[in-house]
Amino acid sequence: MTTDESAPWLVVGLGNPGPGYAANRHNVGFMVADLLAGRMSGSYRRAQKAQAQVLEGRLGPMGPGSRRVVLAKPSSFMNLSGGPVSALRDFYKVDTARVVAVHDELDIDYGTLRLKLGGGDNGHNGLKSMTKAMGPDYHRVRFGIGRPPGRMQVADFVLKDFSSTERKELDYFVDRAADAVEALLLEGLERAQSTYNS
């Protein structure tokens, strides 16, 4: 695998396919990916070699400072994300360290971001599947959704839509997460962490 600066990054928004899941907390990775697609002024197409929607383009300022990006949303369900992501990684010859997973995170307060490289899956089925398919050494942009209230089961909580109160700030937080992805690609992990890890 190549690791030179001209090599593409593979940015993957994690979620579940279909309109019934679109506004779920578990689909915030798709929301961030869709915002990035708008910034790339492109539209998704079906990947040839993987079960995913992809968009190839550039992020960042025009010119040599921008980064080549393959933006992807797996078409599989969340717990099967690893197959499509590893297939895209292999097809585009992307080093695992240039893969970025954007996903919901239960153990972080709503709207809070954490960027990291590697680590465990913390019970997240999408990350569990990705790590099984290609090891843990990829970047994560973790979007906090908080813990379920009362005795609500985690599975029920993540598959519910954001609350009306949460939706008031959701666009702002999704925009900030997209900014964090760009900062990671353009400035590196440490600088992006110092700006966005709060």
Side-chain angles (χ1 to χ4, degrees):
M1 299 288 181
T2 181
T3 55
D4 67 271
E5 281 307 306
S6 65
W9 285 80
L10 174 59
V11 177
V12 182
L14 295 183
N16 285 309
Y21 297 100
N24 288 179
R25 293 182 178 93
H26 222 18
N27 271 45
V28 73
F30 276 12
M31 297 174 197
V32 175
D34 288 345
L35 184 59
L36 288 168
R39 294 182 183 184
M40 292 168 67
S41 302
S43 55
Y44 295 103
R45 61 174 175 77
R46 284 180 59 184
Q48 293 180 347
K49 301 291 185 181
Q51 193 179 359
Q53 299 288 318
V54 295
L55 168 60
E56 298 176 54
R58 301 190 82 88
L59 275 173
M62 295 289 285
S66 65
R67 295 288 183 266
R68 286 178 61 205
V69 175
V70 178
L71 185 65
K73 296 194 302 184
S75 303
S76 64
F77 282 96
M78 177 75 84
N79 61 346
L80 299 174
S81 299
V85 176
S86 61
L88 290 170
R89 180 199 61 169
D90 294 346
F91 180 74
Y92 288 101
K93 297 179 171 58
V94 176
D95 189 271
T96 302
R98 292 175 82 89
V99 176
V100 182
V102 185
H103 63 92
D104 59 303
E105 179 62 58
L106 283 161
D107 287 335
I108 303 175
D109 290 341
Y110 173 62
T112 300
L113 298 175
R114 293 279 192 278
L115 284 71
K116 63 183 283 193
L117 173 62
D121 57 58
N122 203 24
H124 191 288
N125 287 330
L127 298 183
K128 193 176 296 184
S129 180
M130 284 181 59
T131 296
K132 184 177 180 182
M134 59 187 194
D137 298 326
Y138 52 91
H139 286 86
R140 299 101 189 275
V141 175
R142 305 157 72 204
F143 186 111
I145 61 170
R147 301 293 304 184
R151 297 185 178 185
M152 183 185 291
Q153 295 295 312
V154 165
D156 295 332
F157 179 69
V158 300
L159 294 177
K160 283 194 181 306
D161 292 358
F162 285 99
S163 70
S164 57
T165 302
E166 290 169 333
R167 283 197 297 272
K168 291 175 182 175
E169 295 184 292
L170 182 59
D171 288 347
Y172 168 77
F173 288 139
V174 168
D175 189 70
R176 192 166 183 270
D179 290 347
V181 172
E182 287 203 47
L184 171 61
L185 273 53
L186 296 167
E187 302 171 14
L189 178 61
E190 286 189 13
R191 289 190 65 180
Q193 285 175 325
S194 68
T195 302
Y196 292 97
N197 282 19
S198 49

